[in-house]
């Protein structure tokens, strides 16, 4: 119940979910978006870049995959890399990048 409350609280949002190579899911999923700074080595210095990450309840999406698309008011985001699950297996952490469809 606590997880459900978190996904209905401010900071969460409804999103359209489009599996890679498939039809969009008929119902929106609830997501929590975060934007973390990520240091990337570039020569002898580091560059700080903003990295988008989405949390998705496992009950909303059993197995997100690289290439799936999340659409929210701010735009479209493609999942990149391998989504990770939390210790309890209740939610996914999905790195993403914004793109123009």
């Amino acid at each position: 119940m606590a997880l459900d409350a978190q996904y209905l609280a401010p900071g969460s949002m409804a999103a359209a979910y489009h599996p890679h190579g498939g039809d969009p899911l008929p119902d929106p999923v609830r997501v929590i978006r975060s934007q973390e700074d990520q240091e990337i080595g570039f020569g002898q210095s580091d560059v700080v870049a903003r990295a988008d990450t989405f949390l998705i309840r496992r009950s909303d999406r059993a197995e997100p995959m690289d290439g799936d698309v999340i659409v929210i008011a701010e735009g479209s985001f493609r999942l990149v890399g391998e989504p990770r699950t939390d210790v309890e297996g209740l939610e996914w952490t999905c790195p993403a990048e914004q793109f123009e469809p």
Side-chain angles (χ1 to χ4, degrees):
M1 294 178 90
L3 188 63
D4 290 339
Q6 178 182 344
Y7 278 85
L8 294 174
S12 69
M13 61 198 75
Y17 195 96
H18 302 258
H20 182 68
D23 293 327
L25 298 183
D27 297 318
V29 298
R30 298 292 303 178
V31 300
I32 298 172
R33 178 184 178 199
S34 65
Q35 294 179 299
E36 304 165 358
D37 288 340
Q38 182 179 29
E39 290 186 23
I40 301 169
F42 187 74
Q44 293 184 344
S45 61
D46 290 331
V47 175
V48 177
R50 176 132 315 166
D52 287 294
T53 303
F54 287 90
L55 297 177
I56 305 171
R57 290 182 291 192
R58 194 174 194 130
S59 61
D60 279 343
R61 186 69 182 145
E63 196 171 338
M65 299 178 71
D66 182 53
D68 290 356
V69 174
I70 293 173
V71 181
I72 58 174
E74 290 82 4
S76 297
F77 296 83
R78 181 178 297 119
L79 302 187
V80 293
E82 193 69 31
R84 300 176 314 275
T85 188
D86 64 344
V87 173
E88 293 86 16
L90 299 175
E91 64 184 346
W92 293 99
T93 300
C94 303
E97 62 184 12
Q98 191 164 12
F99 78 103
E100 294 294 323

